[in-house]
Amino acid sequence: MRAVKLTVLTVLLSAAVLVAPVPSAPPAAAGHSLGQFLQVTPEVSVVPLSGVLKLRAQLFTGAVTRVAVADPINPVVIQFSEQPASPAALSSTTCTVPAGASTCETTASSATAVDKVFRAWIDGHHDTTEARLANRDAADQASADCIGQDENESDATACTSIGETVEDGATTEPDQTDVVKASWQGGGVDVVADDQRVEPGRQATFTATAYDINGNPAPGIEVKFEFFDLSVSDGDGNNPGPQPAGNPDGSCVTKSAGVPGAGTCALGYSQLKEGVDLLCVWTSAAPPAFAGTRDGGTCGNEGLVDPTANDGKPVAANDDVDVVRVVWQRAAAPPPPAATGYWLVARDGGIFAFGDAEFKGSTGAIKLNQPIVGMAAAPGNKGYWLVASDGGIFAFGEARFTGSTGATKLNQPIVSMDGTPTGNGYFLVARDGGVFAFGDAKFAGSTGALKLNQPIVGMAATPSGNGYWLVAVDGGIFAFGDARFYGSTGGTRLNKPVVGMAASPTGLGYWLVASDGGIFAYGDARFYGSTGGIPLNAPVVGMAAGLQGQGYWLVASDGGIFSYGMPFYGSTGGIALQQPIVGMAPSRSGGGYRFVARDGGIFC
């Protein structure tokens, strides 16, 4: 019954002139009087703060035919009022249906969270006793006022009212008046990284995203930060409850619509002491209620671990509170690591092996269709794969060939790869974030269909092989499968671009490396040092992590190696290379490393 009424009505509403009567759902026995009546849509609305709601008034004729009316001679004035009257919402308390038309509009907006009831009536027909909200059914909002079960309405839940009563008012509906409702609601906020470990003297950065009630990034929102009591960086010992709401310890305003990062803003600060900072973040005008201290405090009843799983849009959508933490911790002297090693690979596929990393072959003497861009090691120090920019795969030792994109036309070139823990598969990633999985590698998603702010430059698989991270040149992180997001530099202005990444052995963190050797550590990945402040002979092009996460190596394009928390086994820094180094991989047996040159030559 309702589907028929909707189909007819949709056709009627699209007409601007009087059309032939078409029978509608309500029977003639309903007893409604013929004549002009008013319908305002939408009936029930939820609107973001400062969002503009269009209230559309339409004139109809006849309770049975329900045909849009267009008076060819006389304009008709529609009056509007709002309850409560403050804060003001209506842009105009009237709209005029011009002669020859059947509709007019006014708008309403509010920067404050409020529930509003709007009354509308044809001028001269005000009925203040009407209290019915008409049809709440989202699929039937264009229909005339809600009719009851006594008038053959099959869906009683479609009829609702202001409060809990249904009152037609002095005149039985449909009539010359209508009542609709709108709620302006604030959105939520989410902040990353949720839990950072930063060396004193370096900068901790939080990137906040404000959302409106519809889950869209919200520009122009002030995001406020306040330290909990006993936080090492708390300078006033004062949670925001007793202090002015406009005086938090820090704040930022989300970027405007139409610019990169719209709806986001970043706040950074530094601390020379070791210790813990716990911060509350919120967007409402009034601060949330604080309880506890940095050791386990909550604000707005929310603690460090919240329902959003710390990785995206808030749940519920209007949750405008988040809690984040920084652990200021100096780089510890690591325990003596187990022996290990690495390979370096050059642009021509030449391999250089150091430590216990064994040379298994190279493409140094082969003419390649496309240059080598990366490599990955098979388990047990038994072999490795090289990948070219066209996705061609070269497998050496016991590393198995399970497929390639060498014969496939790619939208963007391949830039990196990583292997699965079994050694029976591998992932390739292209510049646009397209991911190609071979062997037992499982595809878990990609950014191939997304418009990226910056191109992808690297990837790292999780220890399980059931997920992976992609990293862009601005340090933006994209997590898929069982890979979790722990933070990024996507909202930070970098001195040099990010060129690669490595995952911690637990899969609970990762490192990013920039071309100046700057290191950014997230999750349980520890910071052990960097070349960020050192003039380099050649830019850093990649990194590899120790098997137990106790350190890492950085490699420059000349094959120079920088060891942090890990032994130095050698480099090609003093050798004239035929092609520059483009990547490295750690050996998986513990003992050494190899370099692979661009020509595929191996140095052990």
Side-chain angles (χ1 to χ4, degrees):
M1 212 42 193
R2 180 179 296 280
V4 173
K5 179 175 64 178
L6 278 174
T7 303
V8 172
L9 187 58
T10 301
V11 174
L12 295 178
L13 286 177
S14 66
V17 297
L18 189 64
V19 297
V22 179
S24 65
H32 290 164
S33 61
L34 295 177
Q36 199 174 68
F37 67 92
L38 173 67
Q39 173 70 25
V40 178
T41 56
E43 299 289 354
V44 180
S45 304
V46 176
V47 190
L49 291 184
S50 300
V52 177
L53 171 67
K54 291 183 179 181
L55 295 172
R56 182 174 183 265
Q58 180 149 8
L59 299 177
F60 291 87
T61 183
V64 176
T65 57
R66 294 194 184 173
V67 178
V69 61
D71 192 319
I73 301 175
N74 301 311
V76 179
V77 176
I78 309 298
Q79 301 281 352
F80 287 86
S81 69
E82 57 183 288
Q83 297 173 332
S86 180
L90 283 170
S91 60
S92 174
T93 57
T94 66
C95 72
T96 300
V97 179
S102 60
T103 65
C104 67
E105 285 185 353
T106 187
T107 61
S109 182
S110 177
T112 304
V114 65
D115 291 336
K116 284 275 188 179
V117 170
F118 297 99
R119 294 182 178 278
W121 63 95
I122 299 174
D123 194 22
H125 298 277
H126 193 191
D127 180 1
T128 59
T129 63
E130 181 171 324
R132 168 178 284 182
L133 285 176
N135 206 326
R136 190 181 187 133
D137 187 346
D140 198 14
Q141 286 186 342
S143 69
D145 285 359
C146 186
I147 56 177
Q149 286 181 303
D150 59 331
E151 298 166 313
N152 295 333
E153 171 58 68
S154 61
D155 183 7
T157 62
C159 297
T160 186
S161 65
I162 304 168
E164 297 180 354
T165 61
V166 176
E167 300 175 12
D168 289 336
T171 304
T172 303
E173 293 183 312
D175 53 26
Q176 291 80 22
T177 186
D178 200 8
V179 179
V180 297
K181 183 179 180 180
S183 298
W184 275 266
Q185 296 184 15
V189 67
D190 188 68
V191 181
V192 293
D194 238 58
D195 197 6
Q196 305 181 53
R197 281 166 174 76
V198 184
E199 188 173 22
R202 297 179 67 84
Q203 179 170 285
T205 300
F206 293 108
T207 300
T209 303
Y211 296 94
D212 65 24
I213 197 66
N214 296 321
N216 302 312
I221 302 297
E222 183 180 13
V223 183
K224 304 161 190 176
F225 295 76
E226 175 74 19
F227 291 108
F228 279 79
D229 287 343
L230 303 184
S231 291
V232 67
S233 299
D234 186 18
D236 54 19
N238 196 17
N239 286 333
Q243 70 182 30
N247 186 32
D249 288 333
S251 67
C252 62
V253 177
T254 58
K255 295 179 182 178
S256 302
V259 303
T264 68
C265 65
L267 182 75
Y269 74 102
S270 186
Q271 171 59 253
L272 296 177
K273 299 178 182 178
E274 288 191 298
V276 177
D277 281 336
L278 193 68
L279 300 93
C280 178
V281 188
W282 73 97
T283 59
S284 60
F290 274 61
T293 67
R294 69 170 189 211
D295 298 313
T298 62
C299 59
N301 296 317
E302 188 165 305
L304 182 62
V305 178
D306 62 43
T308 69
N310 305 319
D311 60 2
K313 296 179 181 179
V315 179
N318 61 349
D319 176 11
D320 76 333
V321 176
D322 203 1
V323 178
V324 293
R325 180 171 67 182
V326 180
V327 178
W328 299 97
Q329 189 175 52
R330 300 190 187 282
T340 186
Y342 44 83
W343 295 271
L344 308 186
V345 60
R347 182 178 167 89
D348 58 2
I351 292 288
F352 304 83
F354 297 91
D356 71 346
E358 299 178 4
F359 176 77
K360 300 291 185 179
S362 77
T363 62
I366 300 174
K367 184 178 180 180
L368 303 175
N369 292 328
Q370 297 293 331
I372 299 298
V373 293
M375 73 178 303
N381 195 10
K382 296 180 179 180
Y384 41 82
W385 300 275
L386 312 184
V387 62
S389 63
D390 61 357
I393 291 290
F394 303 90
F396 297 96
E398 296 182 20
R400 292 180 54 198
F401 175 82
T402 57
S404 77
T405 63
T408 304
K409 185 177 180 179
L410 302 175
N411 293 329
Q412 294 287 332
I414 300 297
V415 294
S416 186
M417 75 175 301
D418 203 358
T420 63
T422 64
N424 294 322
Y426 40 79
F427 304 93
L428 313 183
V429 63
R431 180 181 168 88
D432 60 359
V435 172
F436 305 89
F438 298 96
D440 64 357
K442 298 177 181 179
F443 176 79
S446 77
T447 63
L450 301 179
K451 184 177 180 180
L452 303 177
N453 292 329
Q454 297 290 338
I456 300 297
V457 292
M459 77 175 304
T462 60
S464 69
N466 295 322
Y468 40 80
W469 297 273
L470 311 183
V471 61
V473 72
D474 60 357
I477 290 288
F478 303 89
F480 298 97
D482 64 357
R484 290 191 57 188
F485 178 83
Y486 294 103
S488 77
T489 62
T492 304
R493 183 174 180 178
L494 303 176
N495 293 328
K496 293 292 183 179
V498 169
V499 294
M501 72 179 301
S504 72
T506 63
L508 301 178
Y510 42 77
W511 295 273
L512 312 183
V513 61
S515 63
D516 61 357
I519 290 289
F520 305 90
Y522 297 98
D524 68 352
R526 294 281 304 275
F527 175 79
Y528 291 99
S530 76
T531 62
I534 302 173
L536 303 177
N537 294 329
V540 169
V541 294
M543 71 178 302
L547 296 180
Q548 299 174 3
Q550 70 275 45
Y552 41 79
W553 299 280
L554 313 182
V555 61
S557 62
D558 62 356
I561 290 289
F562 304 90
S563 301
Y564 295 96
M566 298 299 294
F568 173 79
Y569 292 103
S571 76
T572 63
I575 300 174
L577 303 175
Q578 294 183 20
Q579 295 288 336
I581 300 296
V582 293
M584 72 181 304
S587 68
R588 296 193 179 185
S589 63
Y593 51 86
R594 302 176 178 84
F595 293 93
V596 59
R598 191 167 174 172
D599 60 359
I602 291 288
F603 295 80
C604 306

